[in-house]
């Protein structure tokens, strides 16, 4: 399998795993079938009850930590994918000890976390099943809670598998030349940007870059209005190195179906976490 470490900032990376020859278990096949049925609700208009539920459900999905999505992508031992080696693809902006230490720390922290929350969600299943008494409306709290049980289960076992491979030194780090050229350009553009706290590569009009107070945007807007974040409006604690357009070009380069959505989700969450209000003008 291949693991991609894509720096969004100098200290935070987006991660994606592309498994090879993984055989889905029965539980995984059920989850894929449920996901396929859920995606069909996207065709309903937003003003219908199905459309509203789908929109709200997608917002809940987007709030799930991108690191959990990454660990879920790693095949478990039961899926017959105990590979002899994991290929880690990254730009030369990172070094091998830094990458391995970051992945090891992630696996060690997330494994007990997801094991604990998997138990909590299991405890809530009997309570959420009581919503079946409500007529007409499907029991969405139960189905979402069941999804979270599966999600934590997959993330926990993915962390265990990743840690197993790292402990055996069964990995090879490859610095992709195309990634190197993208990040060299991003670093040069960062040096040329007058205000290093704004997003490099922004196409927004300069007139939109006005003062922002702590009350100018609600928390919901900060979480969901990614277009505002991407346009470089808020001041950032650390400058992002890539834009959504860069991610699209990377996906075209690697030709992987889930790469773009995974890296884009991670970038949006990281940039939203970096945004902070600017100091008032003197």
């Amino acid at each position: 399998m291949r693991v991609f470490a894509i720096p969004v900032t100098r200290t935070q990376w987006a991660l994606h795993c592309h498994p090879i020859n993984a055989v889905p278990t029965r539980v995984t096949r059920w989850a894929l079938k449920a996901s396929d049925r859920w995606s069909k609700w996207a065709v309903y208009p937003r003003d219908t009850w199905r459309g509203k539920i789908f929109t709200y459900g997608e917002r809940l999905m987007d709030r799930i930590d991108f690191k959990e999505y990454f660990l879920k992508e790693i095949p478990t031992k039961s899926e017959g994918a105990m590979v002899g080696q994991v290929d880690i693809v990254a730009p030369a902006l990172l070094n091998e000890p830094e990458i391995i230490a970051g992945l090891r720390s992630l696996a060690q922290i997330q494994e007990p976390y997801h094991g604990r929350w998997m138990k909590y969600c299991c405890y809530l299943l009997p309570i959420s099943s009581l919503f079946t008494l409500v007529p007409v409306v499907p029991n969405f709290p139960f189905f979402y809670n069941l999804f979270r049980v599966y999600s934590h289960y997959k993330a926990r076992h993915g962390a265990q598998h990743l840690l197993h491979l790292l402990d055996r030194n069964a990995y090879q780090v490859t610095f992709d030349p195309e990634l190197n050229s993208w990040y060299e350009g991003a670093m040069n553009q960062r040096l040329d940007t007058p205000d290093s706290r704004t997003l490099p590569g922004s196409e927004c009009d300069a007139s939109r870059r006005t003062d922002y107070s702590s009350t100018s945007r609600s928390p919901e807007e900060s979480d969901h209005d990614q277009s505002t974040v991407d346009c470089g409006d808020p001041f950032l604690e650390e400058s992002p190195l890539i834009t959504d357009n860069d991610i699209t070009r990377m996906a075209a380069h690697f030709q992987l179906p889930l790469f773009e959505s995974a890296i884009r989700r991670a970038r949006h969450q990281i940039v939203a976490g970096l945004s902070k209000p600017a100091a008032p003008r003197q």
Side-chain angles (χ1 to χ4, degrees):
M1 67 181 184
R2 285 195 293 173
V3 169
F4 294 85
I6 308 297
V8 176
T9 69
R10 187 59 185 85
T11 58
Q12 299 188 68
W13 323 330
L15 297 166
H16 173 59
C17 175
H18 177 66
I20 301 175
N21 298 326
V23 181
T25 62
R26 181 180 301 177
V27 175
T28 302
R29 289 196 296 269
W30 286 346
L32 292 175
K33 185 179 294 185
S35 177
D36 182 63
R37 294 185 64 179
W38 169 257
S39 63
K40 293 179 180 179
W41 282 44
V43 301
Y44 292 106
R46 294 291 181 90
D47 56 349
T48 64
W49 70 270
R50 287 187 176 90
K52 291 178 180 178
I53 290 176
F54 178 81
T55 301
Y56 181 72
E58 287 297 295
R59 288 181 179 179
L60 286 178
M61 300 294 184
D62 289 339
R63 285 180 173 270
I64 296 175
D65 192 350
F66 72 90
K67 294 185 287 293
E68 179 176 332
Y69 279 105
F70 163 67
L71 293 174
K72 285 171 56 180
E73 294 169 341
I74 300 175
T76 63
K77 297 179 182 179
S78 59
E79 291 175 322
M82 279 303 294
V83 296
Q85 178 175 289
V86 54
D87 296 322
I88 303 173
V89 181
L93 178 68
L94 306 175
N95 56 65
E96 182 171 329
E98 181 181 13
I99 296 171
I100 301 305
L103 292 175
R104 186 185 303 277
S105 175
L106 173 67
Q108 290 174 338
I109 293 173
Q110 296 294 319
E111 191 274 332
Y113 169 84
H114 290 294
R116 182 169 62 253
W117 276 98
M118 181 181 67
K119 294 178 182 178
Y120 293 159
C121 291
C122 286
Y123 296 151
L124 291 174
L125 282 175
I127 299 175
S128 59
S129 65
L130 297 177
F131 285 90
T132 54
L133 301 176
V134 179
V136 182
V137 181
N139 189 354
F140 291 106
F142 175 79
F143 292 134
Y144 179 74
N145 201 32
L146 191 62
F147 162 74
R148 295 302 291 139
V149 172
Y150 168 77
S151 185
H152 287 302
Y153 167 83
K154 279 282 293 177
R156 180 193 181 195
H157 284 270
Q160 290 175 342
H161 192 178
L162 177 62
L163 193 59
H164 171 77
L165 293 170
L166 296 179
D167 288 342
R168 291 177 50 239
N169 293 324
Y171 59 83
Q172 179 177 356
V173 178
T174 301
F175 298 110
D176 187 82
E178 195 70 22
L179 287 179
N180 294 340
S181 64
W182 274 316
Y183 279 96
E184 286 175 1
M187 294 300 291
N188 291 336
Q189 186 173 2
R190 182 180 180 182
L191 293 175
D192 294 338
T193 303
D195 190 343
S196 63
R197 296 172 297 174
T198 56
L199 182 65
S202 173
E203 299 176 356
C204 294
D205 188 85
S207 62
R208 293 189 59 199
R209 302 189 180 188
T210 55
D211 293 346
Y212 274 73
S213 66
S214 59
T215 59
S216 61
R217 303 175 70 213
S218 65
E220 290 79 7
E221 291 173 334
S222 297
D223 289 338
H224 299 299
D225 187 7
Q226 295 298 339
S227 62
T228 303
V229 174
D230 290 347
C231 285
D233 278 346
F235 285 88
L236 305 177
E237 296 176 354
E238 191 175 0
S239 296
L241 300 175
I242 57 173
T243 66
D244 281 347
N245 291 334
D246 294 326
I247 295 173
T248 300
R249 291 195 292 269
M250 291 178 191
H253 168 65
F254 291 115
Q255 293 292 312
L256 299 177
L258 301 179
F259 178 92
E260 183 172 0
S261 60
I263 302 302
R264 190 184 298 271
R265 180 191 301 112
R267 179 190 174 277
H268 284 180
Q269 291 186 7
I270 291 173
V271 172
L274 291 174
S275 60
K276 63 177 182 178
R281 181 174 295 179
Q282 298 296 328

